[in-house]
Amino acid sequence: MQQIKPFLMLSLVLATLVSCGPRWSETELNGIKTVINEEGRTLGYSVTSGVTILTVDRLGFKDLNKNGQLDKYEDWRLTADERAKDLAAQMSVEQIAGLMLYSRHQSIPAASRGFMKASYNGKDFQDSGANAWDLSDQQKEFLTKDNLRHVLITSVESPETSARWNNNVQALVEGIGLGIPANNSTDPRHGTNSKEEYNEGAGGNISMWPGSLGLAATFDPHLVEQFGSIASKEYRALGITTALSPQVDIATDPRWYRTSGTFGEDAALSTDIGRAYIDGFQTSVGDKETADGWGFESVNAMVKHWPGGGSGEGGRDAHYGVGKYAVYPGNNFAEHMIPFTEGAFKLNGKTGMASAVMPYYTISYNQDTKNKENVGNGYNRYIITDLLREKYKYDGVVCTDWLVTSDETTIDVFISGKSWGVEGLSIAERHYKILMAGVDQFGGNNDMKPVLEAYAMGVKEHGEDFMKKRFEQSAVRLLKNIFRTGLFENPYLNIEESKSTVGKAEFMKAGYDAQIKSVVMLKNKANSLPLPKNKTVYVPKKFTPAGRNFLGMETPETLEYPVNMEIVKKYFKATDNPDEADYALVFVNSPDTGIGYNSEDAKMGGNGYVPISLQYGEYTAKEAREVSIAGGDPLEKSTNRSYKDKKNKAVNITDLSMINDTFKKMKGKPVIVSVNMNTPMIFSEFEKNTNAILVHFGVQDQALLELITGAAEPSALLPMQMPASMETVERQFEDVPHDLDCYVDDQGNTYDFAFGLNWKGVINDERKTKYSK
């Protein structure tokens, strides 16, 4: 036999070793190790967590539970469903109870006062010497002692701070127990700073887009999907993997103050816009996709609020005890579910359906046809199990809205508990009822104790096996959302990449372009717009009286320009003397008349209820119901919530006088009015004293000026009807859309759903054809 030469033998040995060795490599940066599999997923883990890498089939896997072997849940080659079931079976009751918690609001760094107050080594942040990205004492406690893994983030100091904070959180929880990552979330955070200047090619803190009504006003699902795709990339760069949005409630009562967060009153438009929004957020493509459209750029969308919260009696909102009842005088309950069942649950993209649902606080009054219960939606088994789970086949996560298990302490304060209909139950009993209704998670609860008490109640009533299966059922749903977004593989962020992604120039431009497309022109008498540049304009200052915000915090009196005058001066010459002006530009907000309750009236022996008005001036509710449809609360004596013959006026009534006074001062010269609209409004109070009216839903001043001067053309349409009077508002049904008598202006135009003007006149395009009624 011919001998193999030594150097050939060595080459064969080396080749064998290479072909049989690991096919992954590892690097380290800032205490985070990154493992790159040649054919597989990239992993990340902290050097402080105690995690090691297992090599199986020459591939790298994280040994999260540190048992020296590859468990199914650690194997990224398996489906999210397989992994979630394996992990749920390994979890203790205490660990699942923690997984069911969703934290109260967390600012980064923590606030030193208010309901988001927290400490660092027992001190306020300012006195602690802590970094902005360090974990607060309370965060460490609920992550370690209560096993909480879902954190709601509010304000963050900067993208860098958010990314570093995320890495600190993930390093902590990776080293605990089974190594389950944190699934961080946020409410919508892409609104505008109206006075900030846009400079093409420049970046910012985060891309700025119109509010939800503004997105709807474009009537363009493709644009909204683009928003979702961009926003998801920025969210992931901040460490956020769940969006507590979109809000697809149809705003069938025009007085509802949460209208501004919806896509308007029309079910078909809300369905298409909501579907596009979720597809944009949840879908990863290319090398970012792992399976079924999910991946490292995906953000779970928690669609809200099931089964629709836009029909509060009298337009009142269920954040307050005074607005706990949603009513259906038009027998139109079913239409409110359409944006969910035909949109959020029937996506065009590969992810299929929204990964989570949030029920609203409301009692859907007399809609439980099976058990006849009038309790908050999250407590109602008919609403959650019979309808959502069984009829509409939804098996994703259901999470309560915040503070539904807490005690109500006052009837008209935003941050009070909201246990509507079950006020007589204990906190633990409320948790148990929610679980038995079919809900998986408790919003705004950092404490696992009442969840464990609820488990014990279930064991007593149904037995240990039943309750363990019930807990594991919710655990699987919750874990799938963490697996599908890739957090078990790599929850860590590269700080420099986060800084360059959030607010990058191309994202800022897309948001700015969308702002321009979201502004509705309602009036343009004698082609008053566009205005020539460099003319002289008068911009009256805006007076805001002292008051309180929606959290009850005092706000000071102000008198200031309502726009950034430095930006105005880039388009026009400015003067404070109307006699010197060629035109007047008046910037106002839609009327704000409060929550429909006056505590002083209650103290004087009344029931406390007053009308929510859509006009600035004083309104007397002569046509209101004499007896409310629903009523009753432990903190009030009467069950009749009627406000008939009572009066109310807007806290910003000076906006009306600002328009009408300016009209007088301009002595026939053009008056251009821009309205930042939160709800529909009554235009009859001032429309005749204007030459042009623009309506927007939260845009930068510069976008308005671009339209006013003709650098861009208005193209948006109204996503809501504008009522002719408060009398038609009183006559309409809270649960029915498109049932108002609409305002007709002095040009003969009707301010109906899908109305809008461009430079040529009334817009009649394919959008209007598709959606107009």
Side-chain angles (χ1 to χ4, degrees), residues 238-258:
L238 293 169
I240 294 167
T241 43
T242 293
L244 303 187
S245 57
Q247 185 185 336
V248 300
D249 315 69
I250 52 174
T252 49
D253 191 288
R255 296 164 290 190
W256 189 35
Y257 93 85
R258 295 206 71 183

Short mmCIF file of all heavy atoms in Angstrom, two decimals, residues 238-258:
data_model
loop_
_atom_site.label_atom_id
_atom_site.label_comp_id
_atom_site.label_asym_id
_atom_site.label_seq_id
_atom_site.Cartn_x
_atom_site.Cartn_y
_atom_site.Cartn_z
N LEU A 238 -34.75 51.49 19.77
CA LEU A 238 -34.92 51.98 21.14
C LEU A 238 -35.08 50.84 22.14
O LEU A 238 -35.17 51.08 23.35
CB LEU A 238 -36.16 52.88 21.21
CG LEU A 238 -36.09 54.21 20.45
CD1 LEU A 238 -37.47 54.86 20.39
CD2 LEU A 238 -35.09 55.15 21.09
N GLY A 239 -35.15 49.60 21.65
CA GLY A 239 -35.37 48.46 22.52
C GLY A 239 -36.83 48.14 22.75
O GLY A 239 -37.18 47.46 23.72
N ILE A 240 -37.70 48.61 21.87
CA ILE A 240 -39.14 48.43 22.01
C ILE A 240 -39.62 47.37 21.03
O ILE A 240 -39.34 47.46 19.83
CB ILE A 240 -39.87 49.76 21.77
CG1 ILE A 240 -39.52 50.76 22.87
CG2 ILE A 240 -41.38 49.56 21.66
CD1 ILE A 240 -39.93 52.18 22.56
N THR A 241 -40.36 46.38 21.54
CA THR A 241 -40.82 45.29 20.67
C THR A 241 -42.33 45.11 20.69
O THR A 241 -42.84 44.17 20.06
CB THR A 241 -40.14 43.96 21.06
OG1 THR A 241 -40.11 43.84 22.49
CG2 THR A 241 -38.73 43.89 20.53
N THR A 242 -43.05 45.97 21.40
CA THR A 242 -44.51 45.95 21.34
C THR A 242 -45.02 47.39 21.27
O THR A 242 -44.60 48.24 22.05
CB THR A 242 -45.13 45.24 22.55
OG1 THR A 242 -44.81 43.85 22.50
CG2 THR A 242 -46.65 45.38 22.55
N ALA A 243 -45.92 47.63 20.33
CA ALA A 243 -46.59 48.92 20.21
C ALA A 243 -48.00 48.79 20.78
O ALA A 243 -48.75 47.91 20.35
CB ALA A 243 -46.65 49.35 18.74
N LEU A 244 -48.33 49.63 21.74
CA LEU A 244 -49.70 49.63 22.27
C LEU A 244 -50.57 50.45 21.33
O LEU A 244 -51.11 51.51 21.67
CB LEU A 244 -49.73 50.19 23.69
CG LEU A 244 -48.85 49.47 24.72
CD1 LEU A 244 -49.11 50.01 26.11
CD2 LEU A 244 -49.05 47.96 24.68
N SER A 245 -50.71 49.96 20.13
CA SER A 245 -51.42 50.62 19.05
C SER A 245 -51.55 49.60 17.90
O SER A 245 -50.88 48.58 17.93
CB SER A 245 -50.65 51.87 18.58
OG SER A 245 -49.34 51.55 18.17
N PRO A 246 -52.42 49.88 16.92
CA PRO A 246 -53.19 51.08 16.69
C PRO A 246 -54.51 51.08 17.45
O PRO A 246 -54.99 50.05 17.90
CB PRO A 246 -53.45 51.03 15.18
CG PRO A 246 -53.58 49.55 14.91
CD PRO A 246 -52.55 48.91 15.81
N GLN A 247 -55.11 52.26 17.53
CA GLN A 247 -56.42 52.42 18.14
C GLN A 247 -57.45 52.46 17.01
O GLN A 247 -57.62 53.47 16.34
CB GLN A 247 -56.47 53.71 18.96
CG GLN A 247 -57.77 53.90 19.72
CD GLN A 247 -57.84 55.25 20.42
OE1 GLN A 247 -56.82 55.85 20.72
NE2 GLN A 247 -59.04 55.72 20.68
N VAL A 248 -58.14 51.34 16.80
CA VAL A 248 -59.05 51.24 15.66
C VAL A 248 -60.51 51.41 16.06
O VAL A 248 -61.41 51.13 15.26
CB VAL A 248 -58.86 49.90 14.90
CG1 VAL A 248 -57.44 49.79 14.36
CG2 VAL A 248 -59.22 48.71 15.76
N ASP A 249 -60.77 51.86 17.31
CA ASP A 249 -62.14 52.18 17.67
C ASP A 249 -62.72 53.15 16.64
O ASP A 249 -62.06 54.12 16.26
CB ASP A 249 -62.22 52.90 19.02
CG ASP A 249 -61.35 52.29 20.10
OD1 ASP A 249 -60.10 52.38 19.98
OD2 ASP A 249 -61.90 51.75 21.05
N ILE A 250 -63.95 52.92 16.19
CA ILE A 250 -64.57 53.92 15.32
C ILE A 250 -65.23 54.98 16.20
O ILE A 250 -65.99 54.67 17.11
CB ILE A 250 -65.56 53.29 14.32
CG1 ILE A 250 -66.59 52.39 15.00
CG2 ILE A 250 -64.81 52.54 13.24
CD1 ILE A 250 -67.67 51.87 14.04
N ALA A 251 -64.88 56.23 15.94
CA ALA A 251 -65.29 57.34 16.79
C ALA A 251 -66.68 57.80 16.39
O ALA A 251 -66.87 58.86 15.78
CB ALA A 251 -64.28 58.48 16.69
N THR A 252 -67.66 56.99 16.75
CA THR A 252 -69.03 57.26 16.31
C THR A 252 -69.70 58.38 17.08
O THR A 252 -70.69 58.94 16.62
CB THR A 252 -69.88 55.98 16.40
OG1 THR A 252 -69.70 55.40 17.70
CG2 THR A 252 -69.46 54.98 15.34
N ASP A 253 -69.21 58.70 18.27
CA ASP A 253 -69.69 59.90 18.95
C ASP A 253 -68.64 60.98 18.80
O ASP A 253 -67.50 60.82 19.25
CB ASP A 253 -69.98 59.65 20.43
CG ASP A 253 -70.73 60.83 21.04
OD1 ASP A 253 -70.09 61.89 21.23
OD2 ASP A 253 -71.93 60.70 21.27
N PRO A 254 -69.01 62.11 18.19
CA PRO A 254 -68.00 63.13 17.87
C PRO A 254 -67.43 63.84 19.08
O PRO A 254 -66.42 64.56 18.97
CB PRO A 254 -68.78 64.12 16.98
CG PRO A 254 -70.20 63.95 17.39
CD PRO A 254 -70.36 62.50 17.73
N ARG A 255 -68.05 63.65 20.26
CA ARG A 255 -67.58 64.35 21.47
C ARG A 255 -66.47 63.60 22.19
O ARG A 255 -65.84 64.15 23.10
CB ARG A 255 -68.76 64.56 22.42
CG ARG A 255 -69.84 65.44 21.87
CD ARG A 255 -71.14 65.33 22.64
NE ARG A 255 -71.80 64.04 22.43
CZ ARG A 255 -73.03 63.74 22.82
NH1 ARG A 255 -73.76 64.66 23.44
NH2 ARG A 255 -73.55 62.55 22.60
N TRP A 256 -66.21 62.35 21.84
CA TRP A 256 -65.25 61.50 22.56
C TRP A 256 -63.85 62.10 22.48
O TRP A 256 -63.31 62.29 21.40
CB TRP A 256 -65.29 60.11 21.96
CG TRP A 256 -64.52 59.08 22.73
CD1 TRP A 256 -64.36 58.98 24.07
CD2 TRP A 256 -63.81 57.96 22.15
NE1 TRP A 256 -63.60 57.87 24.40
CE2 TRP A 256 -63.25 57.22 23.24
CE3 TRP A 256 -63.61 57.50 20.86
CZ2 TRP A 256 -62.49 56.06 23.05
CZ3 TRP A 256 -62.87 56.34 20.67
CH2 TRP A 256 -62.32 55.63 21.75
N TYR A 257 -63.23 62.35 23.64
CA TYR A 257 -61.93 63.03 23.59
C TYR A 257 -60.82 62.13 23.05
O TYR A 257 -59.77 62.63 22.61
CB TYR A 257 -61.56 63.61 24.96
CG TYR A 257 -60.73 62.74 25.87
CD1 TYR A 257 -59.35 62.72 25.77
CD2 TYR A 257 -61.33 61.95 26.86
CE1 TYR A 257 -58.58 61.94 26.62
CE2 TYR A 257 -60.56 61.17 27.70
CZ TYR A 257 -59.19 61.17 27.58
OH TYR A 257 -58.43 60.39 28.41
N ARG A 258 -61.03 60.82 23.01
CA ARG A 258 -60.01 59.94 22.42
C ARG A 258 -60.16 59.79 20.91
O ARG A 258 -59.46 58.99 20.28
CB ARG A 258 -60.03 58.57 23.10
CG ARG A 258 -59.65 58.63 24.57
CD ARG A 258 -59.07 57.34 25.07
NE ARG A 258 -57.74 57.08 24.54
CZ ARG A 258 -57.05 55.96 24.80
NH1 ARG A 258 -57.57 55.03 25.57
NH2 ARG A 258 -55.85 55.78 24.29
#
